[in-house]
Amino acid sequence: MILTVTPNPALDVSYRVARLVPGTAHRVRSVRERAGGKGFNVSRVLHEMGIATLAVGPVGGVLGESLRADLVASEVPHALLVVDAPTRMTVAVVDDEDATLFNEAGAALLDTEWDRLLDLVRARLPEASALVCSGSLPQATPRDTCARVVEAARDAGVPVVVDTSGAALLAAAEAGADVLKPNAAELAEVVDASDAVAGAERLRSMGAGAVVLSLGPEGVVAVTGEGRWRAVPPFPVRGNPTGAGDAAVAALANGLVEQSSWPMRLRAAVAWSAAAVAAPVAGSVDVPLLRRLHDEVRVEPL
């Protein structure tokens, strides 16, 4: 079972319109509401792919109950911690060309609530084959929150993938996360380096086992103890990129569990990510497209 931790869940609301034009009124073609947050999206993808998972995160207020109800309806296994802070909302406006996102920051949690969340994670670690800690942190969150999750997993002998940003990304590296998955902007924010590979090596020198750098439609670059690779999709995929990185994280976590080679992990990460772009909402993949893409992903050593 792959355990996912979402420190800052959200109720994701997606509006589809014909064309987004700022400053004008729009007729909405469809509205979707889903339990969101990067870790929940990872669990959704794993569940859709038939891989055992459990989604953990704090929820509060009316939106928190809507989030829980959606997980129940979607049959995604979950263990939620009820907190005082209300769950946030994110809004995606999607047209035929792109997606425009509006992300609330998330309300602060009490220190005791973080302790209870960590206790919940520890209680589930004996069942886990890998752990994913993924997403942003609420306001006023201690820098070491993701690092504490990493340390708990390492104490239990469970490999960890972390997808976060800022000070939390550095702390996760220092705690010895097995895989970090920043994008180019997140890497540049925390590391002063001449290029992406050098920046990834800096994170590895801090303690991370491997760094997989997301380059959006251009694929990924991986810097590991076993080598460096670049993986590129065979053709561009149009759609909603929200959740593409979460699908890549799901593939990387599954690769850790299966102990597949790095080129195979990267091929899966790029194929799952591109297939997520073609899916209507975050936390889902276009499975026929994924199967078509998988063997055509180019993986080259650097």
Side-chain angles (χ1 to χ4, degrees):
M1 177 267 286
I2 297 176
L3 180 65
T4 69
V5 181
T6 305
N8 197 18
L11 184 69
D12 287 346
V13 180
S14 297
Y15 297 102
R16 180 163 286 278
V17 298
R19 181 167 173 260
L20 178 63
V21 182
T24 67
H26 296 76
R27 185 177 296 278
V28 177
R29 290 177 171 177
S30 64
V31 181
R32 291 176 180 260
E33 290 187 357
R34 275 190 137 189
K38 296 178 74 63
F40 286 154
N41 289 339
V42 172
S43 276
R44 281 187 181 279
V45 171
L46 291 169
H47 180 68
E48 188 171 283
M49 296 296 292
I51 298 165
T53 185
L54 180 71
V56 171
V59 296
V62 174
L63 296 185
E65 287 306 310
S66 296
L67 187 153
R68 183 194 301 275
D70 180 67
L71 289 176
V72 170
S74 302
E75 299 183 343
V76 175
H78 55 278
L80 304 179
L81 178 71
V82 176
V83 297
D84 289 338
T87 295
R88 65 192 177 115
M89 177 184 289
T90 69
V91 176
V93 182
V94 182
D95 62 19
D96 294 335
E97 299 293 331
D98 211 343
T100 301
L101 308 181
F102 301 87
N103 296 330
E104 296 179 4
L109 270 64
L110 301 173
D111 289 346
T112 53
E113 290 173 332
W114 286 120
D115 291 340
R116 288 168 53 213
L117 182 65
L118 191 59
D119 287 342
L120 177 57
V121 171
R122 288 195 184 102
R124 297 293 185 160
L125 278 171
E127 312 163 44
S129 52
L131 182 145
V132 172
C133 186
S134 195
S136 63
L137 300 177
Q139 301 176 65
T141 300
R143 173 184 182 273
D144 66 348
T145 297
C146 283
R148 293 175 67 194
V149 174
V150 172
E151 290 163 357
R154 290 179 63 82
D155 289 345
V158 176
V160 190
V161 182
V162 176
D163 180 10
T164 190
S165 59
L169 177 63
L170 293 178
E174 293 164 357
D178 294 88
V179 181
L180 297 179
K181 198 214 70 66
N183 60 34
E186 290 164 346
L187 180 66
E189 180 187 2
V190 298
V191 174
D192 182 13
S194 57
D195 57 45
V197 171
E201 287 288 13
R202 286 281 302 279
L203 289 181
R204 288 196 67 241
S205 72
M206 296 176 189
V211 178
V212 178
L213 181 65
S214 174
L215 303 176
E218 298 178 6
V220 300
V221 167
V223 178
T224 80
E226 301 170 30
R228 302 171 177 177
W229 293 271
R230 179 167 186 157
V232 183
F235 52 83
V237 176
R238 297 177 65 167
N240 179 5
T242 309
D246 304 326
V249 169
L252 292 170
N254 189 52
L256 268 179
V257 173
E258 295 184 340
Q259 297 183 339
S260 56
S261 68
W262 269 106
M264 289 299 294
R265 295 182 204 183
L266 299 176
R267 176 169 282 112
V270 170
W272 290 27
S273 178
V277 173
V281 290
S284 186
V285 294
D286 183 324
V287 175
L289 178 61
L290 186 157
R291 291 171 178 157
R292 177 185 168 197
L293 284 165
H294 186 272
D295 292 341
E296 298 183 35
V297 173
R298 300 194 312 275
V299 183
E300 304 167 344
L302 294 178

